[in-house]
Amino acid sequence: MSIDALRAMISACDLSTRIGIRDRLLLVLGLALMGRRSELVALTCEDIREVRDGLEVTIRTSKTDKDSHGETIAIPRGSHPLTDPVAAWTDWITVLTDAEETSGRLLRRIDRHGNLGPRLGADAVNVIIRALAIRAAVSSAETFTAHSLRAGGATVAYAAGVPVSVIAKHGRWAPASPVVLRYIRAVDRWRDNAMRNVGL
């Protein structure tokens, strides 16, 4: 997933509604954290705090942290109003504060009347992401899942020049994970292409 696709999907959210504000945060955190859907739905309000440079997000357990030691991931402030992680988090926290729901799970179900329910389920995350991709008419929208955000975070970071080792640590992949290499090959085939700049 590209940043353009992410912004298109956020533009498809109705940010005048609680659902739209929640979905924007889901999308931005999913990509910025390179988050697994299990990690996203497990986040609590207490797991995120704003600091001078952005957000600190505590992932209490993950696939590569079987003993649940936890890890705090730094998410820098963004430069675009739609995709700034701090703005997306602040807007959602305002919704939760207005509803007097400032503890417990961060991402909640919301009914058609805008009422907050318990935590968002992992399967619901995929449904939301696919629906937004289709609504935004992004390429291959019907294949989008939470994993698209995770892979997208890795590929946009690599395209921006971030070393593979840093990407693996940020995304909580094992250091020698072949999965990360698979994501970045798509970037390499265009960046390091034999036909680039030959004058065709």
Side-chain angles (χ1 to χ4, degrees):
M1 176 189 295
S2 67
I3 296 297
D4 285 344
L6 179 72
R7 287 186 182 142
M9 290 168 68
I10 292 172
S11 294
C13 298
D14 182 351
L15 297 180
S16 68
T17 67
R18 288 178 167 182
I19 290 175
I21 294 169
R22 179 207 60 197
D23 291 351
R24 174 193 180 201
L25 180 63
L26 171 64
L27 291 170
V28 172
L29 278 185
L31 188 128
L33 281 173
M34 301 178 199
R36 298 175 176 92
R37 63 181 179 160
S38 60
E39 296 169 348
L40 294 171
V41 297
L43 288 171
T44 67
C45 296
E46 296 80 11
D47 289 335
I48 302 183
R49 69 186 191 105
E50 183 177 354
V51 295
R52 185 186 66 184
D53 295 327
L55 299 175
E56 290 184 344
V57 182
T58 300
I59 304 294
R60 299 195 180 277
T61 188
S62 69
K63 189 176 177 182
T64 53
D65 180 20
K66 300 294 187 187
D67 297 324
S68 299
H69 294 299
E71 185 173 357
T72 298
I73 308 298
I75 304 293
R77 293 178 185 276
S79 58
H80 192 284
L82 276 182
T83 50
D84 175 18
V86 176
W89 175 78
T90 301
D91 289 348
W92 178 241
I93 288 300
T94 299
V95 168
L96 294 180
T97 300
D98 289 346
E100 300 182 348
E101 295 280 1
T102 54
S103 64
R105 296 299 173 126
L106 179 69
L107 298 171
R108 310 288 187 91
R109 282 192 335 216
I110 303 174
D111 68 21
R112 60 183 179 166
H113 304 294
N115 299 311
L116 297 176
R119 74 181 182 94
L120 197 62
D123 290 339
V125 170
N126 283 344
V127 171
I128 291 166
I129 291 169
R130 185 173 296 114
L132 288 170
I134 291 169
R135 196 181 313 161
V138 299
S139 179
S140 303
E142 64 283 348
T143 67
F144 272 49
T145 65
H147 192 74
S148 304
L149 296 173
R150 180 164 165 76
T155 55
V156 298
Y158 185 71
V162 178
V164 175
S165 60
V166 175
I167 293 169
K169 179 168 176 41
H170 185 92
R172 296 155 313 283
W173 280 284
S177 171
V179 175
V180 180
L181 297 177
R182 189 168 70 241
Y183 296 150
I184 66 176
R185 281 193 199 109
V187 177
D188 277 342
R189 73 179 178 181
W190 290 106
R191 189 171 69 184
D192 301 328
N193 191 287
M195 291 293 102
R196 185 175 293 284
N197 301 322
V198 300
L200 287 176

